[in-house]
Amino acid sequence: MGGNKEGPWKMITVEEVVDEILNGLEDRAELVVIPKRKTLVAKASGFFRRYIEKRGFKGNEVQEAIELAKSLSN
């Protein structure tokens, strides 16, 4: 197997990927992160998205934008 042998970009085997995907499917996991040591980083984007949405948008701006987009696409 080529590629990085250590550090944050360490390569993993295809077998590890397939096993983890199957485990995720069997557990009906909402999110599958491979390798598991990257879970915190993978989940961080969801946290920041919710924070930005709460702080960045007021009242019903998002709903108004959705309705406007729907009316323009018709």
Side-chain angles (χ1 to χ4, degrees), residues 3-68:
N4 296 321
K5 307 242 187 271
E6 59 187 55
W9 307 114
K10 178 182 175 188
M11 301 283 284
I12 59 175
T13 66
V14 171
E15 290 80 13
E16 289 175 281
V17 174
V18 171
D19 286 344
E20 291 301 322
I21 290 173
L22 290 175
N23 288 338
L25 289 170
E26 289 170 354
D27 296 341
R28 296 183 184 269
E30 184 177 328
L31 176 69
V32 176
V33 180
I34 307 166
K36 289 193 184 299
R37 67 180 180 270
K38 305 287 187 197
T39 300
L40 182 62
V41 174
K43 288 187 174 183
S45 66
F47 169 78
F48 289 115
R49 181 181 59 242
R50 286 189 295 274
Y51 176 79
I52 290 168
E53 287 173 355
K54 280 185 174 182
R55 299 288 181 225
F57 300 101
K58 307 288 186 256
N60 60 351
E61 288 178 345
V62 173
Q63 186 61 37
E64 288 175 6
I66 292 169
E67 294 302 322
L68 180 61

